[in-house]
C-alpha cells in the first residue's frame, strides 16, 4: 500500500485526513494498512466499528458470538431492524461495507476466550476491547500483553 497512489475515490473519501498536517497522506496510508481486532459488536463495538470503517482502517476483524435482537437496536447503532436474528458480526460487516466498500472486514462468530485469544490477537496491530464481561476482557488483555499489542 505504501508505494501506490490513492485512487480518486479514496482522495475524495479521505480528503479531510489527507489535508490534516497531523495525518496527511502517510497517516492515511498507515490507516489503510492497519489490522484492527474488535472484540464485541454490541453497544461499545457498534460506534467503534462505524468510525474505524469510515476512517479507512483497512482490515477490521470483528469477533462476537451473539445474534442481533430487537432490544439491541436503541444502543447498538450499527445494527438495523432488518438484521434482527442475524449474527452481529454479519450485520456489522454489511454496515461497514455499505459505508466504505474499500474496507476488508473479517468476521469471527465465536466467543472470544482464553482458548482462542492468542491466535486472534496475533494477526493484528491493535485490539480494542468492546466486550461486556470480565472473563473476555481478561483473556483479551492477557493475549495482548503476551503479544506486545
Amino acid at each position: 500500500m505504501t508505494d501506490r497512489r490513492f485512487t480518486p475515490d479514496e482522495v475524495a473519501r479521505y480528503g479531510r485526513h489527507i489535508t490534516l498536517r497531523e495525518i496527511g497522506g502517510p497517516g492515511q496510508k498507515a490507516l489503510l494498512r492497519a489490522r484492527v481486532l474488535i472484540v464485541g459488536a454490541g453497544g461499545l463495538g457498534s460506534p467503534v466499528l462505524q468510525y474505524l470503517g469510515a476512517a479507512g482502517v483497512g482490515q477490521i476483524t470483528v469477533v462476537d458470538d451473539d445474534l442481533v435482537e430487537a432490544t439491541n437496536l436503541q444502543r447498538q447503532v450499527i445494527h438495523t431492524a432488518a438484521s434482527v436474528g442475524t449474527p452481529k458480526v454479519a450485520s456489522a460487516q454489511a454496515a461497514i461495507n455499505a459505508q466504505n466498500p474499500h474496507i476488508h472486514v473479517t468476521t469471527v462468530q465465536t466467543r472470544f476466550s482464553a482458548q482462542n485469544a492468542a491466535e486472534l490477537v496475533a494477526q493484528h496491530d491493535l485490539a480494542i476491547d468492546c466486550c461486556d464481561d470480565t472473563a473476555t476482557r481478561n483473556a483479551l488483555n492477557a493475549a495482548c500483553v503476551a503479544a506486545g499489542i
Side-chain angles (χ1 to χ4, degrees), residues 10-108:
E10 289 172 322
V11 170
R13 181 179 296 273
Y14 307 125
R16 301 274 182 171
H17 282 171
I18 293 169
T19 59
L20 287 173
R21 180 183 32 162
E22 298 84 1
I23 299 175
Q28 188 61 47
K29 286 183 179 182
L31 285 172
L32 290 167
R33 284 190 311 272
R35 299 168 300 156
V36 178
L37 173 68
I38 309 297
V39 179
L44 296 172
S46 287
V48 169
L49 288 160
Q50 287 175 310
Y51 278 106
L52 292 180
V57 170
Q59 169 65 45
I60 296 172
T61 301
V62 57
V63 179
D64 198 302
D65 67 339
D66 205 2
L67 302 178
V68 178
E69 298 177 19
T71 59
N72 301 144
L73 299 179
Q74 95 287 355
R75 67 189 184 286
Q76 299 180 13
V77 295
I78 202 165
H79 309 297
T80 65
S83 61
V84 169
T86 65
K88 287 183 180 180
V89 293
S91 173
Q93 179 184 40
I96 294 166
N97 288 148
Q99 182 180 43
N100 189 344
H102 303 291
I103 303 305
H104 181 76
V105 180
T106 301
T107 63
V108 182

